[in-house]
Structures are given as structure tokens and as C-alpha cells.
Amino acid sequence: MSSQIHIPISERHSEKPVFSPEKMAEVQRVISEYPEGKSKSAVIRILHFAEDEFGGWLSIETMDYVAEILNIEPIEVYEVATFYTMFNVEPIGKYVFEVCRTGPCMLVGSDNIIEYIENKLDVKVGETTKDKMFTLKTAECLGACGYGPMLQCGKKYHEHLTKEKVDTLIDAYRAGNTNIEI
Ligand code: FES
């Protein structure tokens, strides 16, 4: 059986990404926590730094840069970045809605919530709205199984979702109210 990693390349960083000196010092500190020759173990932490530093997503150039820093093959970075849904390998909107689609949430209607958001925002899962405001993703269990259907946006969880709550949520984020409690 052959496996194939698909990395969208429709958008690229025009210049080679380079960490700021401050961030690079942090990167080197993290790498130094691992034994010599085991820098690959730092890949997830460095990818988080890279996402934060380079626009919230990981381009091919960014992943190649991380591979160079860790002295590993680019494919070793691509594998990690494309495996975990928390990493974005395409440009994202200002807000990323990650709706849990695992069993317990599905039993209480996550499918309906996903479909409702798709229709409301006129996007499919994995897409970003034309105004670059929202990206819709799905995720596996986010550890809030008793509170489904639920979604994560940034560091916030929004739980027991209904269509009405989704309306309120989207209006609030559009208005810049990211502190909304739902
Ligand atoms: S199944 Fe949805 S948070 Fe666990």
C-alpha cells in the first residue's frame, strides 16, 4: 500500500521565512532540551512557533525552514504538520472554527452543526470564507465530550451548540467580540 501526502501549494510565502532573533533564541533553547541528535523530537513545538510567527499557517517554505533548523528531512516535517489537525497547511481566516466530529459529539448532532455552519458561511469543511474571516475545520475529540456539540476557536471552547447559538457566535466574532461565552 502506498501513502501520499497532499500539501496544497496554491499559496506560498514569497520570501524565505526567517525567525526573528528573539524567536530563534527561543527555538534554540527548546532544541537544547533534547539530547544531541534528537532535535526531531522538538518538531511539534517548533512548528507551533512557526505558525505563530508566519501568519498562522505552515507553507512548504516554512516547513522546509523548520526541517533545516532541526537538521532533518523535509518529509519528516510534512508528515507531522499534515497529521495533526491543529496545524494549518493552507492560509486561514481570522477565526478558525474546529468542530468536533467524534462519536459522542456526533451522537448529539455535530453533523447538523457542521452542515449549518457550512451553509451559513457558504464554505465547505477545510475552506475559508471569501472575506477571510472564518475557516471551518473538523477535529477529532477535543476532550469536551459531555458538552457537545462543540467547537474550538483559538483557545476558547463553545459548547452545547444549537443553530441559534451558532448564529450568535458568528455575529459576535464578526463584530470582534471574541470573549463571547457560549
Ligand atoms: S467527542 Fe467531541 S469533544 Fe470528545
Side-chain angles (χ1 to χ4, degrees):
M1 189 173 82
S2 68
S3 63
Q4 192 175 11
I5 294 177
H6 171 68
I7 300 174
I9 53 170
S10 52
E11 307 219 23
R12 310 182 73 101
H13 281 124
S14 53
E15 292 175 11
K16 179 180 175 179
V18 177
F19 282 126
S20 64
E22 298 76 27
K23 188 58 79 176
M24 183 53 103
E26 216 174 328
V27 165
Q28 295 301 348
R29 184 188 55 72
V30 167
I31 293 173
S32 73
E33 293 175 9
Y34 296 90
E36 182 112 13
K38 300 288 184 190
S39 60
K40 182 182 175 184
S41 301
V43 66
I44 289 180
R45 294 170 73 185
I46 306 307
L47 284 174
H48 279 303
F49 286 156
E51 253 194 2
D52 288 347
E53 189 99 336
F54 306 122
W57 68 289
L58 301 166
S59 66
I60 296 277
E61 290 80 4
T62 299
M63 290 186 277
D64 289 350
Y65 178 54
V66 169
E68 186 184 315
I69 291 171
L70 294 174
N71 198 23
I72 59 179
E73 294 298 323
I75 187 66
E76 297 178 276
V77 178
Y78 303 164
E79 285 170 344
V80 173
T82 56
F83 180 79
Y84 292 105
T85 57
M86 62 192 173
F87 292 121
N88 301 300
V89 291
E90 287 188 88
I92 51 167
K94 186 171 181 183
Y95 305 113
V96 180
F97 283 173
E98 294 182 83
V99 187
C100 174
R101 62 172 184 191
T102 303
C105 279
M106 194 174 280
L107 285 174
V108 290
S110 61
D111 275 2
N112 294 335
I113 292 297
I114 292 166
E115 189 181 352
Y116 185 72
I117 297 173
E118 284 183 327
N119 290 333
K120 185 165 177 77
L121 294 180
D122 194 23
V123 293
K124 291 292 179 197
V125 170
E127 293 179 350
T128 297
T129 54
K130 288 190 182 68
D131 62 3
K132 310 282 186 210
M133 188 67 86
F134 298 101
T135 297
L136 176 62
K137 296 172 70 174
T138 55
E140 299 305 330
C141 181
L142 292 167
C145 319
Y147 308 96
M150 59 82 63
L151 67 80
Q152 180 174 14
C153 184
K155 293 184 177 168
K156 294 206 70 161
Y157 276 16
H158 301 290
E159 301 163 344
H160 296 305
L161 293 174
T162 61
K163 292 174 182 175
E164 293 73 26
K165 283 186 178 180
V166 167
D167 288 344
T168 305
L169 205 56
I170 289 173
D171 286 347
Y173 275 98
R174 271 198 204 289
N177 175 15
T178 55
N179 290 323
I180 182 166
E181 297 294 340
I182 281 182

